[in-house]
Amino acid sequence: MKEYVIALDLGGTNSVLGLVDKEGKILNRSSFKTGDCPTIESYVAQCTESARALISQAGGKETIKAFGIGAPDVNYWDQTIENATNLPWKGIVPLAALLEKELDIPVYMTNDAKAAALGEMLYGAAQGMKDFIMITLGTGVGSGIVVNGELVYGKRSFAGELGHTSVRPETGRECPCGRRGCVEAYCSATGVVRTAHELLEQSKEESLLRKLPKETLTSKDIYDAAIQGDKLANQIFELTGSLLGEACANFATFSDPEAFIFFGGLTKAGDLLMKPLTQTYEQTVFDNYKGTARFLISQLDDADAALLGAAALAWTR
Amino acid sequence: MKEYVIALDLGGTNSVLGLVDKEGKILNRSSFKTGDCPTIESYVAQCTESARALISQAGGKETIKAFGIGAPDVNYWDQTIENATNLPWKGIVPLAALLEKELDIPVYMTNDAKAAALGEMLYGAAQGMKDFIMITLGTGVGSGIVVNGELVYGKRSFAGELGHTSVRPETGRECPCGRRGCVEAYCSATGVVRTAHELLEQSKEESLLRKLPKETLTSKDIYDAAIQGDKLANQIFELTGSLLGEACANFATFSDPEAFIFFGGLTKAGDLLMKPLTQTYEQTVFDNYKGTARFLISQLDDADAALLGAAALAWTR
């Protein structure tokens, strides 16, 4: 009986493996530092060792359906990691095939934001949905788009870079990607801090944020100030939510989604973010879409979500 | 043997029916004025009569695989026309079911721009492609998005309104839809005329267009002036193409398409439009997508394209 899957959340800092059942219960987990493996050979060796321990805890290979991986810069069609900027291994890395060879179980790999969308569909806020857009608000802004129950990959598997659509093409700030006015330049954790720096400079408004050292200001500091009623901190979330709402109004024209699902640190701001977001969306969206989409925050536990996404890939392939 | 399909291009002005074989050859056609049928009952009667004549020419019902319809405001999931603004019948019209009852052959209906995408995939520039975006540049700007070989419909079948994404959200002109800076407000035939009016007003530049009555200026007039070397007319196409290129750079992030395929009157401008379009696209698109998409003009005959789209629906369902 295939009762379990192995899941791997491959991040720039940590690699977390888990043994996960069909209901999304994580029965065991282990982790190691990704950076401790300077070569892909050493990474495969470390990963195989951790996976074997989990497989043995599960009662052997016969109980394992598959091994799912969520990682950055995955080419889904080729099952490779391509020129990852935040991982130690350069070029094109056929990680799935390398692990499959060692472990002799099917290994599937997808991009982390796309895995997150699968996780929501199987275990989270998107259960029962076939058309939704998942947006992850972290250091950057990622996305996973589901159309008619399937992830959108596109010709070369690079679909779903909604963080790099422009919402302020004329006067917007530069995104590290080189474009002007990208969603990521405003609605990521770093974007929110940039907004704070700008507003602190431009306005004379008293603010708790002025008491903090500018260089180390975080989105968490801004949230803490906002819930204490700090007006400027509230303005920052209003601007962020409003721009994200405008962006979602453009996204709706593409796939007429049933819901937008948000995940990541910034969603902790709750209504501070979601209220201006939905308000601006409904004000600016094309008539056909008004009042039809739901705006949800992921209910999955932060620490588990990436692992559950990788598990969902293993269960649904 | 199912050798043929019946196709219907249901437009606000004309309804054109055709008998089409698998290779896209239109063997017979007939048409009538849509407006001559003030009730849906009279439309079904007229349409049934025309379809029966084509079926009899084909050698009877046994030779017909299906009946495909391209129409405005179609809800694909329900196979109805919903609140069409340019058709005589209001409310929700179950046209496919009504015709199927009369003709006793399977009837399928989709939106006209989506039918156009199917037509390109079966008979036109998108043959062999699984991921592309079709953009129709007519009085308005329509679109049909194909992901992994399937049309994107979305939850309520209203996906693919890319003409109503905003490329100039800050300072852009108002779109008749109520939004600011929509692609349609610039890159449709009417948008191009608006650009002409604006530039004629703002600049002192000599132009052939100044000799034409402002009220009746058409995109064709602008094209005629442009190919005669008129500088202002050329500027109009540069601006139009450039904005469309910027818009496509946003669309790419959604579905990583292999190609963008353009159809409609404005594409007659050829390089006048396509050169600034591809240039601006490559300049502004996110790095991952640079140099990877093709920009094609439909090769289907204008008069046949809508009919072939409807036929493609009948063949592929």
Side-chain angles (χ1 to χ4, degrees), chain B residues 170-194:
Chain B
E170 297 158 88
T171 64
R173 59 177 73 142
E174 292 234 345
C175 182
C177 83
R179 299 195 77 195
R180 182 179 292 285
C182 284
V183 173
E184 179 162 307
Y186 291 92
C187 306
S188 60
T190 42
V192 166
V193 172
R194 282 177 80 176

Side-chain angles (χ1 to χ4, degrees), chain B residues 64-294:
Chain B
I64 307 293
K65 180 181 179 284
F67 186 147
I69 304 173
D73 301 296
V74 171
N75 183 324
Y76 180 77
W77 302 128
D78 295 346
Q79 288 290 297
T80 53
I81 297 176
E82 293 194 358
N83 309 310
T85 40
N86 292 318
L87 299 179
W89 330 297
K90 299 306 159 204
I92 292 171
V93 178
L95 180 61
L98 292 171
L99 285 170
E100 197 162 303
K101 199 174 145 201
E102 292 298 324
L103 293 167
D104 194 28
I105 50 176
V107 181
Y108 307 112
M109 189 159 58
T110 194
N111 236 53
D112 30 25
K114 292 188 179 80
L118 290 177
E120 292 298 331
M121 196 156 50
L122 204 58
Y123 304 120
Q127 286 179 68
M129 291 186 193
K130 293 177 80 179
D131 292 274
F132 67 95
I133 298 181
M134 170 97 196
I135 298 179
T136 60
L137 304 168
T139 315
V141 172
S143 61
I145 303 155
V146 173
V147 165
N148 206 16
E150 302 282 339
L151 272 169
V152 175
Y153 281 103
K155 172 69 178 166
R156 299 164 313 119
S157 171
F158 292 133
E161 287 285 2
L162 301 185
H164 295 288
T165 57
S166 182
V167 271
R168 284 290 172 266
E170 297 158 88
T171 64
R173 59 177 73 142
E174 292 234 345
C175 182
C177 83
R179 299 195 77 195
R180 182 179 292 285
C182 284
V183 173
E184 179 162 307
Y186 291 92
C187 306
S188 60
T190 42
V192 166
V193 172
R194 282 177 80 176
T195 303
H197 288 164
E198 276 181 22
L199 288 191
L200 284 167
E201 191 126 320
Q202 286 162 19
S203 101
K204 298 276 175 220
E205 181 90 37
E206 275 302 302
S207 170
L208 295 168
L209 299 175
R210 296 200 191 273
K211 295 174 188 155
L212 299 170
K214 201 182 148 195
E215 300 70 32
T216 55
L217 196 70
T218 65
S219 56
K220 170 80 166 58
D221 296 330
I222 302 164
Y223 169 69
D224 289 340
I227 54 165
Q228 288 177 62
D230 188 85
K231 215 170 140 188
L232 198 130
N234 273 283
Q235 265 176 36
I236 295 165
F237 279 108
E238 261 163 45
L239 184 79
T240 309
S242 172
L243 282 171
L244 197 50
E246 252 188 67
C248 288
N250 279 339
F251 304 159
T253 67
F254 212 100
S255 66
D256 185 14
E258 177 172 359
F260 292 90
I261 299 173
F262 301 89
F263 175 82
L266 280 188
T267 63
K268 299 281 174 295
D271 275 355
L272 291 178
L273 183 78
M274 298 303 279
K275 234 176 161 169
L277 196 170
T278 50
Q279 255 173 15
T280 306
Y281 177 89
E282 295 297 348
Q283 274 162 18
T284 57
V285 78
F286 184 51
D287 278 355
N288 272 2
Y289 306 107
K290 278 193 203 298
T292 65
R294 296 163 68 198

Side-chain angles (χ1 to χ4, degrees), chain A residues 99-289:
Chain A
L99 286 169
E100 198 162 301
K101 199 174 148 200
E102 292 298 322
L103 293 166
D104 193 27
I105 50 175
V107 181
Y108 306 112
M109 187 158 62
T110 195
N111 236 53
D112 31 25
K114 292 188 179 79
L118 290 177
E120 292 297 332
M121 195 156 53
L122 204 57
Y123 305 120
Q127 285 178 67
M129 291 187 194
K130 293 177 80 179
D131 292 274
F132 68 95
I133 297 179
M134 170 97 196
I135 298 178
T136 59
L137 304 168
T139 316
V141 172
S143 62
I145 303 155
V146 173
V147 165
N148 206 17
E150 302 283 340
L151 272 170
V152 174
Y153 281 103
K155 172 68 179 168
R156 299 162 314 119
S157 171
F158 292 133
E161 287 285 2
L162 300 185
H164 295 289
T165 56
S166 182
V167 272
R168 284 290 173 265
E170 297 159 87
T171 63
R173 59 177 72 143
E174 291 235 346
C175 182
C177 83
R179 298 194 79 195
R180 181 177 293 287
C182 283
V183 173
E184 179 163 306
Y186 291 92
C187 306
S188 60
T190 43
V192 166
V193 172
R194 283 177 79 176
T195 303
H197 288 163
E198 276 182 21
L199 290 190
L200 285 166
E201 191 125 322
Q202 285 161 19
S203 100
K204 298 275 174 220
E205 182 89 39
E206 275 301 304
S207 170
L208 295 168
L209 299 175
R210 296 197 191 275
K211 294 172 189 156
L212 299 169
K214 202 182 147 193
E215 300 68 32
T216 56
L217 195 70
T218 65
S219 55
K220 171 81 167 55
D221 296 329
I222 302 164
Y223 168 69
D224 289 340
I227 54 165
Q228 288 176 65
D230 188 84
K231 213 170 141 189
L232 198 129
N234 273 281
Q235 266 176 35
I236 295 167
F237 279 109
E238 261 162 46
L239 184 79
T240 308
S242 174
L243 282 171
L244 197 50
E246 250 187 68
C248 288
N250 278 338
F251 305 159
T253 67
F254 213 99
S255 66
D256 185 16
E258 177 172 1
F260 293 90
I261 300 173
F262 301 90
F263 176 83
L266 281 188
T267 63
K268 298 282 173 296
D271 276 354
L272 290 177
L273 183 78
M274 299 303 279
K275 233 174 162 171
L277 196 170
T278 51
Q279 257 173 13
T280 305
Y281 177 87
E282 295 298 349
Q283 275 162 19
T284 56
V285 79
F286 184 51
D287 277 355
N288 273 1
Y289 306 106

